[in-house]
Amino acid sequence: MSQTRIAVIVGSLRKDSYNQKLALALAHLAPSDFTFEHLRIDNLPLYNQDDDGNPAASVKRLKTEIAAAQGLLFVTPEYNRSFPGVLKNAIDHASRPYGQSAWGGKPAAVVGISVGATGTALAQQHLRNVLAYLDVPTMGSPEIFLQFKDGLFDDKGHIGNEGTKKFLQGWMDKYVAWIKIHSAV
């Protein structure tokens, strides 16, 4: 059985990130032929077009990891009604120089979690707009707008609430089907 590699890009650098926990919990719900690889974005320099001809080693690594994946999973917090600058920086690096984007054609999904009642709805929509421009087919439904509450994750990193776990399993099943259809194109 061949593995389907998913590049996971988490837009939070916080040590105890809820979005990192969500990414790990979702991976627990995936079938065994899916591998989730978390891409490092905290060591990228700030994007500067002057560096396009000689990108940093961390930028080359990021682009190589994206190219090797069959799908993408963006997990974003919401900062000031948008997605974080560190995530935008990674997106910019991997999309440049013009005409050499690592993102193009890679099927993706966007999810997130926040302490706010609407989760990361606005950040996700903003991110979807950017991904559309970059030719990243993004799963539209179902959407995940989770509000963090104590007990959501158990001590092993799984979803602790059965209703939420059932909802997220349904989402994962749709995501797996989305990736299989769109990565075969």
Side-chain angles (χ1 to χ4, degrees):
M1 173 181 352
S2 67
Q3 289 295 113
T4 299
R5 295 173 67 180
I6 304 298
V8 180
I9 304 95
V10 178
S12 173
L13 302 180
R14 197 168 65 85
K15 276 190 275 185
D16 196 30
S17 165
Y18 300 141
N19 284 279
Q20 181 68 26
K21 289 179 180 183
L22 176 59
L24 294 171
L26 285 171
H28 290 303
L29 301 174
S32 61
D33 61 331
F34 269 60
T35 302
F36 289 77
E37 298 173 6
H38 292 246
L39 306 190
R40 186 172 179 195
I41 63 172
D42 66 327
N43 65 342
L44 299 172
L46 290 176
Y47 176 73
N48 180 340
Q49 190 174 5
D50 292 342
D51 298 330
D52 280 358
N54 187 26
S58 57
V59 173
K60 291 177 185 175
R61 175 205 35 87
L62 177 67
K63 290 185 80 166
T64 299
E65 291 170 343
I66 294 165
Q70 287 76 49
L72 307 168
L73 177 60
F74 290 90
V75 188
T76 185
E78 185 167 299
Y79 298 167
N80 300 316
R81 302 291 191 237
S82 188
F83 58 95
V86 68
L87 181 52
K88 180 67 164 81
N89 190 51
I91 290 169
D92 290 346
H93 271 298
S95 69
R96 305 297 289 182
Y98 185 80
Q100 298 177 32
S101 176
W103 305 112
K106 298 278 181 182
V110 177
V111 300
I113 186 170
S114 168
V115 295
T118 59
T120 61
L122 293 172
Q124 288 185 44
Q125 189 56 48
H126 191 190
L127 180 53
R128 287 172 193 277
N129 290 340
V130 172
L131 296 176
Y133 172 75
L134 295 173
D135 189 32
V136 176
T138 306
M139 187 171 88
S141 179
E143 296 173 305
I144 297 177
F145 304 133
L146 282 180
Q147 181 182 24
F148 178 81
K149 295 188 179 195
D150 286 335
L152 181 62
F153 303 106
D154 68 18
D155 59 351
K156 294 186 173 106
H158 296 86
I159 300 297
N161 177 288
E162 282 305 312
T164 303
K165 182 178 179 180
K166 182 179 177 183
F167 169 74
L168 292 177
Q169 184 64 64
W171 180 91
M172 179 55 72
D173 295 345
K174 294 263 183 148
Y175 176 69
V176 166
W178 173 263
I179 295 298
K180 287 182 177 181
I181 289 168
H182 289 85
S183 65
V185 175

